[in-house]
Amino acid sequence: MLEGIEFLNKEMFWLLLLLPLAIVWYVLTIKKQTAELKMSSIKGFQITKSWLASLKPFLFVLRLLALGLLITALARPRTVDVSSKTKTTRGIDIVMAIDVSASMLAKDLLPNRLEALKKVAAQFIQGRPNDRIGLVEYAGESYTKTPITSDKAIVLRSLRDIKYNTIIEGGTAIGMGLATSVNRLKDSKAKSKVIILLTDGVNNSGFIDPKIASELAVEYGIKTYTIGLGTNGMALSPIAIKPNGSFQYGRVQVEIDEELLKEIAEVTGGKYFRATNNKKLEEIYGEINKLEKTEVEEFKFYNYEEKYRPLVILASLLLLLELLLRNTIFRSFV
């Protein structure tokens, strides 16, 4: 293809090999094409060589050009204008349930668990342009931060606003966070419904058993991916509040109810992950992004414009010119 032009019958270019053969034939037979008169002497004649005689090969050049153009036309040159249209055929509704308890301020992830999560979650949201996403916050209780929406700007703004506060009751109510997420998705008409539940602790608050919430997720066909956030061993975590309102940090044993998170994921058809550092957290969201693919149907439209007609017309004009010159100006030399 040359600059947007493609040739449908490329094999026709093999016929161009006829051109050098025609040139060889012309060179070998040119003398035979001119009538000769043998005389013993031309002393009695005054010979004037016409400049038209030297231009006679020009007729053969015109014929060669016409032949080349016809061969190119047989190769069917055409331009192709390709346009495409995409259509999302299977959207996914996703709710991200985020633990906002005080332990999420632990500094085993940088700058802390919550901020590290918000950064990775923002990248995940930006990478899902065809899906609807909602946010749920939970600690000792839970509430909907953002209902599922396709407006990513709203979701990202709400994600940036998530922070630890003393308004929400302390503790970690995994069952409440999961149940609230299920409630946001149960009436969804999407063919695929997903919850990404993240916590760094154990279920120690709330009045809904996580196993009951898991059964609700199964009933409504909602898959749940669970993430345990926190390093193995000890982590620098808030242990008290100073008089000025800031936190006092100390080394605290990381406790994550991995068995519960694994059970929630297995029952609902999801998967459990453990994020012990920033890089691992990014990899987990990247893997979830690959597991939950939105099917997008692409339609391509091809507009072909044939380009052989101008070549045929030009070749015909060259042949006509050659015929006209041969029978007028060059007639006496043929």
Side-chain angles (χ1 to χ4, degrees):
M1 187 180 295
L2 299 173
E3 297 297 331
I5 297 179
E6 66 173 17
F7 295 91
L8 190 60
N9 303 322
K10 296 184 181 67
E11 63 277 5
M12 288 297 175
F13 283 119
W14 286 105
L15 294 175
L16 291 174
L17 294 175
L18 295 174
L19 299 184
L21 293 177
I23 294 173
V24 172
W25 173 84
Y26 179 79
V27 171
L28 294 176
T29 62
I30 186 171
K31 289 185 178 180
K32 296 180 181 180
Q33 297 176 21
T34 305
E36 293 183 353
L37 176 63
K38 294 183 179 181
M39 301 180 66
S40 58
S41 175
I42 58 172
K43 291 181 178 180
F45 296 91
Q46 183 177 359
I47 305 299
T48 303
K49 188 174 182 180
S50 172
W51 61 272
L52 287 174
S54 61
L55 294 179
K56 181 182 176 183
F58 177 67
L59 300 177
F60 180 69
V61 172
L62 289 177
R63 190 172 294 184
L64 282 182
L65 289 174
L67 182 58
L69 290 172
L70 288 174
I71 292 172
T72 305
L74 287 172
R76 288 283 301 279
R78 63 184 185 179
T79 57
V80 185
D81 180 24
V82 183
S83 59
S84 62
K85 180 180 180 182
T86 58
K87 177 184 177 183
T88 303
T89 58
R90 181 176 179 265
I92 300 176
D93 281 355
I94 301 171
V95 169
M96 303 173 71
I98 300 172
D99 187 345
V100 292
S101 58
S103 59
M104 285 291 289
L105 300 179
K107 298 182 181 294
D108 48 349
L109 275 75
L110 301 175
N112 59 50
R113 294 174 183 174
L114 185 58
E115 291 303 317
L117 166 66
K118 287 165 62 175
K119 178 181 177 182
V120 175
Q123 295 172 351
F124 177 83
I125 292 168
Q126 290 170 338
R128 312 291 301 194
N130 300 308
D131 303 321
R132 298 195 305 167
I133 297 178
L135 300 176
V136 166
E137 289 186 20
Y138 73 95
E141 55 185 335
S142 66
Y143 74 96
T144 300
K145 179 75 173 178
T146 305
I148 52 174
T149 176
S150 57
D151 191 332
K152 301 303 184 297
I154 292 176
V155 181
L156 290 170
R157 186 164 56 248
S158 296
L159 180 66
R160 287 194 298 268
D161 292 340
I162 291 178
K163 59 186 69 174
Y164 170 76
N165 62 72
T166 56
I167 298 176
I168 301 179
E169 182 181 337
T172 304
I174 295 175
M176 295 283 289
L178 181 56
T180 301
S181 301
V182 170
N183 189 51
R184 301 314 312 181
L185 286 170
K186 65 183 180 64
D187 296 324
S188 168
K189 302 300 182 183
K191 292 184 178 179
S192 184
K193 295 174 281 190
V194 172
I195 293 173
I196 302 175
L197 185 142
L198 181 141
T199 184
D200 66 345
V202 297
N203 185 67
N204 55 22
S205 300
F207 54 84
I208 298 179
D209 190 312
K211 295 181 179 180
I212 299 297
S214 299
E215 292 174 2
L216 288 172
V218 173
E219 181 179 347
Y220 290 107
I222 302 171
K223 187 187 301 182
T224 304
Y225 292 99
T226 56
I227 302 174
L229 184 63
T231 187
N232 295 312
M234 307 292 286
L236 192 61
S237 304
I239 56 175
I241 299 178
K242 297 178 181 179
N244 62 4
S246 63
F247 283 102
Q248 179 180 339
Y249 283 81
R251 308 292 294 183
V252 176
Q253 179 69 37
V254 176
E255 293 184 18
I256 299 175
D257 194 342
E258 291 194 278
E259 291 303 316
L260 173 61
L261 296 178
K262 288 178 182 178
E263 183 179 350
I264 292 172
E266 183 179 355
V267 167
T268 60
K271 190 174 180 179
Y272 168 70
F273 302 92
R274 179 69 185 272
T276 54
N277 53 52
N278 293 61
K279 186 171 187 249
K280 184 63 177 176
L281 183 61
E282 290 181 10
E283 291 174 354
I284 289 169
Y285 272 89
E287 185 172 347
I288 295 174
N289 195 35
K290 292 177 182 178
L291 289 171
E292 294 298 328
K293 286 291 186 183
T294 299
E295 295 178 6
V296 177
E297 192 172 17
E298 183 177 15
F299 300 91
K300 284 192 174 182
F301 303 93
Y302 297 86
N303 182 29
Y304 296 99
E305 184 177 352
E306 299 288 349
K307 296 295 183 180
Y308 68 87
R309 293 181 184 85
L311 298 177
V312 173
I313 293 173
L314 182 56
S316 300
L317 290 175
L318 291 176
L319 289 175
L320 183 61
L321 177 62
E322 190 254 355
L323 182 63
L324 181 63
L325 292 176
R326 185 179 296 276
N327 288 279
T328 55
I329 298 177
F330 293 97
R331 180 171 186 144
S332 59
F333 298 99
V334 177

